[in-house]
PDB file of all heavy atoms in Angstrom:
ATOM      1  N   PHE A  45      -1.010  21.257  15.785  1.00  0.00           N
ATOM      2  CA  PHE A  45      -2.172  20.801  14.999  1.00  0.00           C
ATOM      3  C   PHE A  45      -2.831  21.990  14.295  1.00  0.00           C
ATOM      4  O   PHE A  45      -3.077  23.058  14.941  1.00  0.00           O
ATOM      5  CB  PHE A  45      -3.119  20.121  15.909  1.00  0.00           C
ATOM      6  CG  PHE A  45      -4.518  19.744  15.315  1.00  0.00           C
ATOM      7  CD1 PHE A  45      -4.594  18.773  14.393  1.00  0.00           C
ATOM      8  CD2 PHE A  45      -5.563  20.437  15.681  1.00  0.00           C
ATOM      9  CE1 PHE A  45      -5.826  18.471  13.805  1.00  0.00           C
ATOM     10  CE2 PHE A  45      -6.824  20.151  15.120  1.00  0.00           C
ATOM     11  CZ  PHE A  45      -6.935  19.161  14.223  1.00  0.00           C
ATOM     12  N   GLY A  98     -11.829  11.799  14.190  1.00  0.00           N
ATOM     13  CA  GLY A  98     -11.812  12.004  15.643  1.00  0.00           C
ATOM     14  C   GLY A  98     -10.648  11.474  16.366  1.00  0.00           C
ATOM     15  O   GLY A  98     -10.646  11.287  17.556  1.00  0.00           O
ATOM     16  N   PHE A  99      -9.552  11.216  15.612  1.00  0.00           N
ATOM     17  CA  PHE A  99      -8.328  10.794  16.214  1.00  0.00           C
ATOM     18  C   PHE A  99      -8.517   9.436  16.977  1.00  0.00           C
ATOM     19  O   PHE A  99      -7.804   9.207  18.026  1.00  0.00           O
ATOM     20  CB  PHE A  99      -7.683  11.830  17.149  1.00  0.00           C
ATOM     21  CG  PHE A  99      -7.477  13.155  16.364  1.00  0.00           C
ATOM     22  CD1 PHE A  99      -8.413  14.141  16.452  1.00  0.00           C
ATOM     23  CD2 PHE A  99      -6.401  13.294  15.572  1.00  0.00           C
ATOM     24  CE1 PHE A  99      -8.280  15.270  15.732  1.00  0.00           C
ATOM     25  CE2 PHE A  99      -6.251  14.423  14.858  1.00  0.00           C
ATOM     26  CZ  PHE A  99      -7.163  15.483  14.932  1.00  0.00           C
ATOM     27  N   THR A 100      -9.345   8.583  16.503  1.00  0.00           N
ATOM     28  CA  THR A 100      -9.663   7.353  17.128  1.00  0.00           C
ATOM     29  C   THR A 100      -8.498   6.343  16.805  1.00  0.00           C
ATOM     30  O   THR A 100      -8.253   5.504  17.579  1.00  0.00           O
ATOM     31  CB  THR A 100     -11.006   6.754  16.608  1.00  0.00           C
ATOM     32  OG1 THR A 100     -11.992   7.730  16.797  1.00  0.00           O
ATOM     33  CG2 THR A 100     -11.311   5.436  17.363  1.00  0.00           C
ATOM     34  N   GLU A 102      -4.391   5.539  15.084  1.00  0.00           N
ATOM     35  CA  GLU A 102      -3.108   6.147  14.918  1.00  0.00           C
ATOM     36  C   GLU A 102      -3.049   6.867  13.560  1.00  0.00           C
ATOM     37  O   GLU A 102      -3.756   6.532  12.632  1.00  0.00           O
ATOM     38  CB  GLU A 102      -1.980   5.046  14.904  1.00  0.00           C
ATOM     39  CG  GLU A 102      -1.722   4.456  16.268  1.00  0.00           C
ATOM     40  CD  GLU A 102      -2.813   3.359  16.580  1.00  0.00           C
ATOM     41  OE1 GLU A 102      -3.328   2.807  15.608  1.00  0.00           O
ATOM     42  OE2 GLU A 102      -3.046   3.121  17.792  1.00  0.00           O
ATOM     43  N   GLN A 103      -2.182   7.856  13.483  1.00  0.00           N
ATOM     44  CA  GLN A 103      -2.058   8.608  12.232  1.00  0.00           C
ATOM     45  C   GLN A 103      -0.809   8.171  11.503  1.00  0.00           C
ATOM     46  O   GLN A 103       0.244   7.791  12.117  1.00  0.00           O
ATOM     47  CB  GLN A 103      -2.004  10.139  12.564  1.00  0.00           C
ATOM     48  CG  GLN A 103      -3.274  10.588  13.210  1.00  0.00           C
ATOM     49  CD  GLN A 103      -3.327  12.075  13.396  1.00  0.00           C
ATOM     50  OE1 GLN A 103      -2.381  12.671  13.918  1.00  0.00           O
ATOM     51  NE2 GLN A 103      -4.357  12.756  12.827  1.00  0.00           N
ATOM     52  N   GLY A 106       2.945  11.815   6.223  1.00  0.00           N
ATOM     53  CA  GLY A 106       3.768  11.972   5.008  1.00  0.00           C
ATOM     54  C   GLY A 106       5.115  12.537   5.307  1.00  0.00           C
ATOM     55  O   GLY A 106       5.386  12.875   6.433  1.00  0.00           O
TER      56      GLY A 106
ATOM     57  N   TYR B  32      -5.198   8.706  25.708  1.00  0.00           N
ATOM     58  CA  TYR B  32      -4.414   7.778  24.857  1.00  0.00           C
ATOM     59  C   TYR B  32      -3.117   8.496  24.590  1.00  0.00           C
ATOM     60  O   TYR B  32      -3.052   9.665  24.300  1.00  0.00           O
ATOM     61  CB  TYR B  32      -5.178   7.535  23.554  1.00  0.00           C
ATOM     62  CG  TYR B  32      -4.673   6.352  22.749  1.00  0.00           C
ATOM     63  CD1 TYR B  32      -4.764   5.083  23.214  1.00  0.00           C
ATOM     64  CD2 TYR B  32      -4.264   6.609  21.402  1.00  0.00           C
ATOM     65  CE1 TYR B  32      -4.318   4.000  22.430  1.00  0.00           C
ATOM     66  CE2 TYR B  32      -3.863   5.524  20.621  1.00  0.00           C
ATOM     67  CZ  TYR B  32      -3.903   4.255  21.164  1.00  0.00           C
ATOM     68  OH  TYR B  32      -3.472   3.139  20.409  1.00  0.00           O
ATOM     69  N   GLY B  43       8.486  11.657   7.421  1.00  0.00           N
ATOM     70  CA  GLY B  43       7.523  11.979   8.408  1.00  0.00           C
ATOM     71  C   GLY B  43       7.602  11.029   9.613  1.00  0.00           C
ATOM     72  O   GLY B  43       8.246  10.001   9.574  1.00  0.00           O
ATOM     73  N   ARG B  93      -3.740  12.202  23.346  1.00  0.00           N
ATOM     74  CA  ARG B  93      -4.984  12.423  22.652  1.00  0.00           C
ATOM     75  C   ARG B  93      -6.147  12.696  23.587  1.00  0.00           C
ATOM     76  O   ARG B  93      -6.233  11.947  24.699  1.00  0.00           O
ATOM     77  CB  ARG B  93      -5.319  11.317  21.739  1.00  0.00           C
ATOM     78  CG  ARG B  93      -6.560  11.459  20.960  1.00  0.00           C
ATOM     79  CD  ARG B  93      -7.029  10.117  20.366  1.00  0.00           C
ATOM     80  NE  ARG B  93      -7.603   9.239  21.409  1.00  0.00           N
ATOM     81  CZ  ARG B  93      -7.984   7.968  21.241  1.00  0.00           C
ATOM     82  NH1 ARG B  93      -7.772   7.433  20.096  1.00  0.00           N
ATOM     83  NH2 ARG B  93      -8.553   7.315  22.167  1.00  0.00           N
ATOM     84  N   GLY B  96     -11.713  12.400  20.002  1.00  0.00           N
ATOM     85  CA  GLY B  96     -12.581  13.369  19.295  1.00  0.00           C
ATOM     86  C   GLY B  96     -12.024  14.732  19.198  1.00  0.00           C
ATOM     87  O   GLY B  96     -12.623  15.576  18.497  1.00  0.00           O
ATOM     88  N   ASN B  97     -10.893  15.014  19.829  1.00  0.00           N
ATOM     89  CA  ASN B  97     -10.372  16.351  19.873  1.00  0.00           C
ATOM     90  C   ASN B  97      -9.143  16.436  18.936  1.00  0.00           C
ATOM     91  O   ASN B  97      -9.241  16.627  17.683  1.00  0.00           O
ATOM     92  CB  ASN B  97     -10.023  16.783  21.272  1.00  0.00           C
ATOM     93  CG  ASN B  97      -9.621  18.289  21.316  1.00  0.00           C
ATOM     94  OD1 ASN B  97      -8.943  18.815  20.445  1.00  0.00           O
ATOM     95  ND2 ASN B  97     -10.123  18.922  22.367  1.00  0.00           N
ATOM     96  N   GLN B  98      -8.042  16.258  19.447  1.00  0.00           N
ATOM     97  CA  GLN B  98      -6.767  16.287  18.602  1.00  0.00           C
ATOM     98  C   GLN B  98      -5.654  15.542  19.326  1.00  0.00           C
ATOM     99  O   GLN B  98      -5.778  15.266  20.458  1.00  0.00           O
ATOM    100  CB  GLN B  98      -6.396  17.686  18.286  1.00  0.00           C
ATOM    101  CG  GLN B  98      -6.023  18.550  19.497  1.00  0.00           C
ATOM    102  CD  GLN B  98      -5.417  19.903  19.119  1.00  0.00           C
ATOM    103  OE1 GLN B  98      -4.300  19.939  18.783  1.00  0.00           O
ATOM    104  NE2 GLN B  98      -6.170  20.913  19.191  1.00  0.00           N
ATOM    105  N   PHE B  99      -4.609  15.424  18.606  1.00  0.00           N
ATOM    106  CA  PHE B  99      -3.358  14.902  19.198  1.00  0.00           C
ATOM    107  C   PHE B  99      -2.505  16.128  19.563  1.00  0.00           C
ATOM    108  O   PHE B  99      -2.405  17.071  18.804  1.00  0.00           O
ATOM    109  CB  PHE B  99      -2.561  14.063  18.211  1.00  0.00           C
ATOM    110  CG  PHE B  99      -3.045  12.689  18.009  1.00  0.00           C
ATOM    111  CD1 PHE B  99      -3.498  12.232  16.789  1.00  0.00           C
ATOM    112  CD2 PHE B  99      -3.037  11.818  19.094  1.00  0.00           C
ATOM    113  CE1 PHE B  99      -3.995  10.955  16.642  1.00  0.00           C
ATOM    114  CE2 PHE B  99      -3.542  10.514  18.939  1.00  0.00           C
ATOM    115  CZ  PHE B  99      -4.013  10.035  17.701  1.00  0.00           C
TER     116      PHE B  99
END
Side-chain angles (χ1 to χ4, degrees):
Chain A
F45 172 71
F99 304 95
T100 307
E102 291 80 27
Q103 297 186 307
Chain B
Y32 195 62
R93 182 196 75 186
N97 190 320
Q98 62 169 283
F99 283 118

